[in-house]
Amino acid sequence: MGVWQVDADTLAGSRFVVSRLAEATASLRKLADPVAAHPGERRWLDAHLPGYRARLAAEPATALLLDTAFGARWIADFMTPTPDGAREDDLADGLARIRATPPEAVRADLAVSSPGRLPDALARADDLAERAATLLAWVWRETVLPEWPRRRRVIEADVLARTRELTRGGWAAAFGGMRPTMGWLGEGRLRINAHDYPPRDISGTRLLFVPVTPQQGWVSWRDPADRYAVVYPCAGALADADRTVPPDGLAALLGTARAQVLALLEHPLTTTQLVALTGQGLGSVGRHLKVLHGARLVARRRAGRSVLYFRTPTGDALLTAQRDGR
């Protein structure tokens, strides 16, 4: 299995970051392997797969590049530059780093992601890095940017949830829910995947945790290896937040904003998470929760320093009846 050895200073300095670069890369990977993890992802794929496939049909070399770069066990390293960590708007820097990859380094990375003889079309080409960067920029511009405000709110809500888990249960709890094969083994050992790679000592480096809304994940590091990143998918209940658009009848009854809050509370959420997911102000969300709680449509419970809100059976019945058209 893949294990990273970390020290206390690395853990203390680690943090969650929002990355446009990682979000664009995860979206490209999802388009390349279009298996929807939830209805919201299915709707996004239905909207953008035709344009993506038309683009690759017009660029066979780019299509072959992606097939080779996205291997069964590993992604070609040049395709996943490590996020900067200092700022969210890291896309331009990441694209520049991809474009600056020498042709021989690109081919070496492809030999790792897809072992065996490199196709002649790729072995002879010197513009593969440029092709990859251009496609990634297109994916961002055409498929991610139009809905980036919503995606950003989902990512922020996930960070809040992970931070709460970290506060309540330590790093073992925070790591446990990020990726199925990831977990804290104790004695400074972080399992990052189930592959049989030699342990890697990352003590004294920067460790970043980067949530993305597509159900994709990977790890990366920057050479010289002073920064490591774990990219992981947002929790499913948050990533598919757009499925909770309230029925028209419920919106007419409660008001659209209040109905949206009720619809989101299928899973327990904090006030701060609801603010991130809805885009409403803290005061507005608080007032909606007060009314819904008074009407016994939602209940609340304390979890450490946080208060979690969730729908009651009455709230569930009301929402179900509206969705079923009864």
Side-chain angles (χ1 to χ4, degrees), residues 288-298:
H288 297 326
L289 288 171
K290 182 177 181 181
V291 172
L292 293 170
H293 185 263
R296 301 184 187 277
L297 298 177
V298 305

Side-chain angles (χ1 to χ4, degrees), residues 100-288:
T101 309
E104 59 273 16
V106 171
R107 286 188 279 270
D109 288 348
L110 294 176
V112 174
S113 61
S114 294
R117 186 173 181 272
L118 199 64
D120 290 342
L122 302 183
R124 295 192 303 264
D126 287 338
D127 65 344
L128 299 181
E130 177 61 36
R131 286 180 178 274
T134 299
L135 180 61
L136 189 58
W138 179 87
V139 168
W140 167 262
R141 184 178 64 253
E142 299 296 328
T143 77
V144 180
L145 183 59
E147 57 179 53
W148 177 240
R150 182 194 66 82
R151 291 194 184 203
R152 192 181 194 285
R153 290 196 299 268
V154 171
I155 290 170
E156 289 172 340
D158 185 90
V159 170
L160 289 168
R162 305 291 178 185
T163 302
R164 188 175 70 247
E165 289 176 1
L166 176 60
T167 302
R168 295 173 59 192
W171 283 111
F175 292 149
M178 285 185 185
R179 302 171 67 193
T181 58
M182 184 172 173
W184 183 247
L185 303 179
E187 298 181 347
R189 296 176 301 147
L190 172 61
R191 184 183 65 204
I192 57 169
N193 56 44
H195 298 321
D196 188 19
Y197 294 122
R200 192 177 186 98
D201 191 344
I202 68 168
S203 300
T205 66
R206 295 181 62 194
L207 180 56
L208 307 176
F209 299 101
V210 189
V212 292
T213 62
Q215 294 297 288
Q216 298 289 331
W218 64 90
V219 298
S220 67
W221 50 85
R222 190 180 72 172
D223 289 325
D226 63 349
R227 181 182 306 152
Y228 287 75
V230 175
V231 179
Y232 68 91
C234 291
L238 299 178
D240 194 23
D242 62 345
R243 71 182 167 150
T244 51
V245 175
D248 292 341
L250 187 65
L253 177 67
L254 300 177
T256 301
R258 188 167 297 156
Q260 183 187 20
V261 171
L262 181 63
L264 280 167
L265 289 175
E266 178 180 355
H267 301 274
L269 296 171
T270 66
T271 303
T272 309
Q273 287 175 311
L274 286 166
V275 168
L277 289 171
T278 63
Q280 301 177 38
L282 180 61
S284 296
V285 170
R287 287 191 293 272
H288 297 326

